[in-house]
Amino acid sequence: MIRTAKISEIPDIMNLTKDCSAHMIKNGINQWNEHYPSQAAFEKDLERNELFVLEMNGKLCGTLVISTLMDEEYRPVVWRTPTGNNVYIHRLAVHPSQQGKGYAQKLMDFAELRAQKQGFVSVRLDTFSQNKRNQKFYETRGYQKLGDVFFPDQSEHPFHCYELVF
């Protein structure tokens, strides 16, 4: 079941993303670190009702943010649709012990359907240039790579920006 997160779940969400970060680092993907994702970011997401969790058998096993706020870093990107009626996906994570079960697909299905039902024209996101698995995941879903942005607190490597137009 995918639902809005609760404030009491922030510690569980932080543990989930820390486990994901450690798993990525073990696999040579230095995408997340001690600065990102932060508890403060998740708390702001929750305040805006943009933080969602995937719960299976009473256990939190995934999370994502569906936001209407565009990061400043995205401004230079030449998007396929005009800015203003779009949603942005951030911090998609499935616990490493639950990966490979289609849960990331479920989370993205939920986000895309929600965006369509709410009348948005596209979904935008970024993924780490060194994370080939994520790039394939989004490209298979029909997302088009449009440009690169940098988040210096996370990595010296760029993040690829993608957009799915409805």
Side-chain angles (χ1 to χ4, degrees):
M1 164 178 58
I2 300 172
R3 58 170 174 74
T4 304
K6 302 172 192 165
I7 189 71
S8 61
E9 293 172 317
I10 295 287
D12 293 333
I13 293 168
M14 288 303 300
N15 287 335
L16 184 147
T17 57
K18 284 179 183 169
D19 289 348
C20 286
S21 179
H23 182 72
M24 285 188 285
I25 290 167
K26 188 177 100 182
N27 289 296
I29 302 168
N30 296 307
Q31 178 174 338
W32 289 353
N33 58 31
E34 67 275 7
H35 305 291
Y36 187 89
S38 70
Q39 181 169 329
F42 284 124
E43 288 171 352
K44 285 182 184 176
D45 299 331
L46 189 64
E47 286 172 18
R48 292 191 304 266
N49 293 313
E50 297 178 343
L51 179 59
F52 298 86
V53 294
L54 171 64
E55 184 181 330
M56 300 299 289
N57 302 317
K59 184 172 167 63
L60 192 145
C61 61
T63 187
L64 91 157
V65 174
I66 307 169
S67 180
T68 56
L69 300 177
M70 184 168 101
D71 290 344
E72 282 300 314
E73 290 85 354
Y74 287 179
R75 297 246 176 250
V77 176
V78 178
W79 298 100
R80 295 176 60 205
T81 61
T83 295
N85 193 21
N86 325 90
V87 295
Y88 300 85
I89 303 299
H90 298 294
R91 297 179 277 289
L92 171 64
V94 173
H95 193 275
S97 69
Q98 300 299 309
Q99 291 178 7
K101 298 180 180 181
Y103 294 156
Q105 296 281 3
K106 285 183 190 294
L107 286 161
M108 287 305 297
D109 289 345
F110 172 83
E112 292 163 6
L113 183 60
R114 180 182 172 92
Q116 277 186 304
K117 284 183 176 178
Q118 292 180 342
F120 291 98
V121 297
S122 74
V123 176
R124 297 174 176 178
L125 54 85
D126 67 76
T127 194
F128 191 44
S129 61
Q130 306 302 299
N131 193 334
K132 304 300 182 196
R133 181 178 174 198
N134 277 8
Q135 292 168 47
K136 182 179 179 191
F137 173 75
Y138 293 119
E139 289 167 5
T140 300
R141 293 186 68 84
Y143 285 77
Q144 184 177 349
K145 185 168 76 168
L146 300 172
D148 289 342
V149 295
F150 288 86
F151 297 100
D153 283 349
Q154 285 179 252
S155 177
E156 63 187 30
H157 298 288
F159 287 72
H160 299 321
C161 291
Y162 286 85
E163 186 172 26
L164 175 70
V165 178
F166 300 125

